[in-house]
Amino acid sequence: MPDAELPDPDPDPEAESDTPGQDPAGRFPGPSPERHLAGPGFAPQVPGPGLAPQVPGPGPDSATPALADSTIAVSGATGFLASYLLLHLLPQGTRVVALVRKPPYRAMASLALALRSAGAPAETVQRVARQVHAVQISLDRPRLGLSEGEFQAVADSVDAVLHCAALTKLHGDAGELHRTNVEGTRQILALAAAGRRAPHLFHVSTAFVAGARLDGLVPERQLEADGFLTPYEESKHRAERLVHDWARTQGRGATVFRPSVLLSDRTALPRAPQHTYAVLAAKLALFLRHGPRALVDASSVPLDASGRLTIRLLGAPDASINLLQVDDAARAMLRIAEQVATEESSVNRPDVPPGARVHHIVHPTETSVTRVNEALQRSIPWLRLALVPERPSPSGLERAVDLYGAEATAYLGLRRRYERTSLCELERRRLVRPPAPVDNPYLDAALTPPLMAR
């Protein structure tokens, strides 16, 4: 949820259960390339006609030239955030090793769909076949489920590792969350450690590792555990702690991104990844599709004088949530990655201290929860959402909304803010633009249910 990496929408169980086979000879790629791999090989490629990187001069809309000649391994490459990162990386010629759970030919199709949904032009989508190399993995298995030779070949082929993959069920099974988010991160760290180029690790955490800190300013540094509101954020906190420990013990640099809730005002294409609040809007639309009268009959909650159904949500009237446009998040993350690449390639690289540096990828202004609820009410005019500090005798409908709409209901008591020193410096240097306000028209567009849910 808050880190915006939703599970892949493809419901085919084969994408979950299939794992790469073993190549007894330790060669890479394996004996069944149509199953394990897709896309160009790992050898450095010379861009052909139409593929020359376009690298404008420095500025908020320019590419990131320090990454233009790099090969980057990306986990969760078909997800919502990753698709916007690749939207900017591919046109400059960056090569991508996509670490995916699907068979590669299906993952490549999903990636192309995600890019189209993110607004990529046809020329960028065509680059997928030329610049992306898909490798099917099992995130929580030793060596990512690859043979020793395959694993080493991947590790040796990349200049950086960008770990986006995560299970985002807020109240999911603790064991499943641990396997994917914690053990999966452990295997990605092993990949970064094994690479002969000592690839830099970029780890996508979440601003919600702040857990039960309900107010105050959350600093850009490693956070001690102080209680958690959901099992999801606890698993992400443990994963981030692994990254900090790994960087210290390995004497390596690492970069931790903590995005808040990422939004888009684009309506996602069918079966393309969606942002958290679009999923919430879809779930509410499906849940409430029978209309107020049917719900009244089922829940014994009366309509008010204006014919609206009131659902009480436990929360603070002055609660807020940090919402950030996903394209602004992607641009900021890539600017930071560019700075890291420049530092590590300079003659002063031995002076770069080891350890993980944290960057909050957040909006400068919190959005009140009341405004989010008002946007939801505008999409469902007969619905009234009321924030209440106490809720005696919750109705069955209210308990169902608590569970069904956990993406929103878990965070209705927050009043905290986030340090954003890193982004302020980028804005000061005019390397990125400050994000636009998340105003009511943007919220209305972001919370429009997908076509399939209307």
Side-chain angles (χ1 to χ4, degrees):
M1 134 74 183
D3 69 350
E5 280 304 297
L6 296 171
D8 194 305
D10 190 338
D12 189 341
E14 179 186 350
E16 296 284 356
S17 60
D18 278 5
T19 56
Q22 301 295 316
D23 176 8
R27 295 182 300 271
F28 190 80
S32 303
E34 71 284 356
R35 171 176 165 80
H36 304 292
L37 311 164
F42 284 114
Q45 298 170 21
V46 179
L51 281 180
Q54 301 298 311
V55 184
D61 295 321
S62 68
T64 49
L67 304 176
D69 196 31
S70 299
T71 300
I72 302 177
V74 181
S75 71
T78 59
F80 176 67
L81 171 59
S83 64
Y84 280 84
L85 292 167
L86 295 181
L87 176 68
H88 296 291
L89 284 170
L90 292 179
Q92 66 191 33
T94 304
R95 297 175 295 276
V96 174
V97 178
L99 304 176
V100 294
R101 62 184 177 85
K102 294 180 182 181
Y105 70 94
R106 291 178 56 200
M108 297 284 274
S110 293
L111 178 53
L113 172 63
L115 284 169
R116 289 197 300 272
S117 187
E123 193 276 338
T124 298
V125 177
Q126 291 166 4
R127 289 173 176 270
V128 171
R130 299 167 181 170
Q131 293 171 228
V132 178
H133 186 98
V135 179
Q136 186 180 6
I137 64 165
S138 295
L139 189 61
D140 61 343
R141 290 181 59 191
R143 296 193 305 268
L144 300 173
L146 302 172
S147 70
E148 184 175 349
E150 290 172 329
F151 182 79
Q152 193 62 52
V154 173
D156 288 344
S157 72
V158 298
D159 304 291
V161 177
L162 175 57
H163 182 34
C164 295
L167 180 62
T168 60
K169 298 177 182 177
L170 292 189
H171 294 286
D173 176 75
E176 187 181 10
L177 285 163
H178 180 85
R179 285 192 298 273
T180 300
N181 295 347
V182 182
E183 294 306 317
T185 297
R186 195 187 306 277
Q187 299 308 318
I188 292 293
L189 291 172
L191 181 74
R196 60 181 174 82
R197 304 184 197 177
H200 188 92
L201 175 74
F202 296 95
H203 173 73
V204 179
S205 183
T206 170
F208 290 78
V209 295
R213 299 178 184 217
L214 300 183
D215 47 32
L217 182 68
V218 181
E220 285 182 307
R221 58 172 170 78
Q222 184 175 5
L223 299 175
E224 298 300 323
D226 192 26
F228 301 97
L229 300 176
T230 69
Y232 160 77
E233 62 192 32
E234 182 174 5
S235 71
K236 292 293 286 185
H237 184 279
R238 290 179 178 175
E240 187 181 310
R241 187 173 62 194
L242 280 181
V243 174
H244 285 278
D245 292 345
W246 175 85
R248 281 193 294 265
T249 58
Q250 296 284 324
R252 296 274 293 274
T255 301
V256 174
F257 296 121
R258 287 185 190 154
S260 58
V261 180
L262 302 183
L263 302 179
S264 173
D265 58 355
R266 297 180 61 86
T267 299
L269 296 175
R271 300 182 72 84
Q274 301 172 25
H275 63 84
T276 297
Y277 273 21
V279 172
L280 171 64
K283 290 169 71 174
L284 277 177
L286 291 170
F287 184 66
L288 303 174
R289 66 187 180 277
H290 298 298
R293 293 293 176 186
L295 292 171
V296 167
D297 294 341
S299 66
S300 301
V301 177
L303 301 179
D304 64 17
S306 61
R308 294 190 303 173
L309 178 68
T310 296
I311 296 177
R312 297 169 299 169
L313 303 174
L314 279 174
D318 60 345
S320 61
I321 193 83
N322 195 283
L323 307 178
L324 178 64
Q325 299 91 334
V326 65
D327 200 56
D328 288 301
R331 290 178 185 274
M333 290 169 64
L334 292 177
R335 278 299 183 203
I336 292 169
E338 177 188 22
Q339 292 181 325
V340 169
T342 301
E343 289 175 358
E344 293 196 342
S345 64
S346 72
V347 295
N348 296 322
R349 178 172 179 174
D351 298 328
V352 177
R357 184 176 177 186
V358 176
H359 305 271
H360 281 148
I361 309 299
V362 297
H363 200 282
T365 304
E366 310 299 312
T367 299
S368 74
V369 170
T370 298
R371 283 188 55 228
V372 177
N373 286 348
E374 289 171 351
L376 285 169
Q377 291 168 175
R378 286 192 292 274
S379 68
I380 308 174
W382 52 263
L383 176 66
R384 177 175 176 264
L385 300 173
L387 283 174
V388 296
E390 296 180 353
R391 188 180 60 185
S393 305
S395 68
L397 178 60
E398 289 169 337
R399 287 194 297 268
V401 168
D402 287 346
L403 179 64
Y404 201 60
E407 293 91 345
T409 59
Y411 297 104
L412 299 181
L414 301 182
R415 303 179 189 88
R416 67 192 183 208
R417 297 171 295 111
Y418 303 90
E419 180 187 358
R420 62 190 306 275
T421 302
S422 303
L423 297 193
C424 286
E425 177 61 17
L426 291 178
E427 291 163 7
R428 184 190 68 79
R429 296 171 57 194
R430 299 185 179 181
L431 293 176
V432 297
R433 288 191 175 94
V438 181
D439 55 17
N440 286 343
Y442 191 93
L443 277 177
D444 289 343
L447 289 167
T448 298
L451 292 173
M452 67 182 69
R454 298 179 202 171

